Amino acid sequence: MTSAVKWKYFKDDLSKFINTLHEDRDFLDVTLVSKDGHQFDAHRVILSAASPYLMEILRKHKHPHPKVNLRDIEAQELISILEFIYMGKVNTIYNREAFIAGGKKLKLKGFPFQLIEKEFDIQKNMLKNPFEETNG
């Protein structure tokens, strides 16, 4: 007779481990290159879990430490995207439009595109002059 064995805090421990990997920089096996030439080391298994786009690229390239050129994503946005991938959240977004575009390009899982876009549109509308004349 067999009985099931369950790791009680599996999700929490795995999440903490992913955060630790990002902070400690251990087991890095892929380099992402931003549009402006900055290089960021990462973990292909983490990137693949978060991005079907990157998973497809990494499956095709069997090199032990591939470089992936992300020609449409600037370094500042890539930093925020990697923070989202590893931490599940982003505290600072420098260019919201570019961040959204990068997230879409990479097809990031769990990325709240509509929420971010809606919030951005609201902020843009709040900055408009309410006394401005409109044509219409």
Side-chain angles (χ1 to χ4, degrees):
M1 177 176 197
T2 61
S3 59
V5 177
K6 186 175 180 180
W7 184 346
K8 187 174 181 180
Y9 301 106
F10 176 77
K11 290 179 183 178
D12 291 338
D13 289 346
L14 188 58
S15 179
K16 287 176 188 173
F17 179 70
I18 291 170
N19 293 340
T20 301
L21 276 178
H22 184 58
E23 292 169 4
D24 293 347
R25 318 291 299 144
D26 290 327
F27 309 111
L28 301 164
D29 59 358
V30 62
T31 300
L32 301 178
V33 183
S34 67
K35 178 180 181 178
D36 45 349
H38 290 87
Q39 297 186 13
F40 301 91
D41 290 325
H43 305 88
R44 73 177 83 202
V45 69
I46 304 299
L47 298 177
S48 295
S51 168
Y53 175 84
L54 290 172
M55 178 187 279
E56 185 177 324
I57 290 171
L58 294 169
R59 276 186 174 156
K60 290 178 183 175
H61 301 287
K62 303 296 183 187
H63 190 277
H65 193 111
K67 279 190 178 183
V68 178
N69 290 308
L70 300 173
R71 293 181 179 96
D72 299 329
I73 303 174
E74 297 278 352
Q76 293 235 311
E77 284 67 51
L78 191 51
I79 290 168
S80 295
I81 287 169
L82 287 169
E83 183 179 336
F84 179 80
I85 289 172
Y86 280 91
M87 307 297 188
K89 64 181 180 178
V90 179
N91 293 318
T92 305
I93 299 171
Y94 297 98
N95 180 336
R96 195 171 293 239
E97 289 175 341
F99 178 69
I100 293 167
K104 283 182 176 180
K105 168 85 175 174
L106 299 178
K107 302 176 185 170
L108 292 180
K109 294 179 182 175
F111 196 81
F113 300 109
Q114 293 79 16
L115 179 64
I116 293 172
E117 288 172 338
K118 185 176 182 180
E119 182 182 318
F120 183 66
D121 287 342
I122 290 169
Q123 287 176 358
K124 276 186 8 188
N125 287 333
M126 289 173 64
L127 295 175
K128 288 184 179 178
N129 183 347
F131 303 106
E132 182 177 289
E133 289 185 34
T134 58
N135 296 333

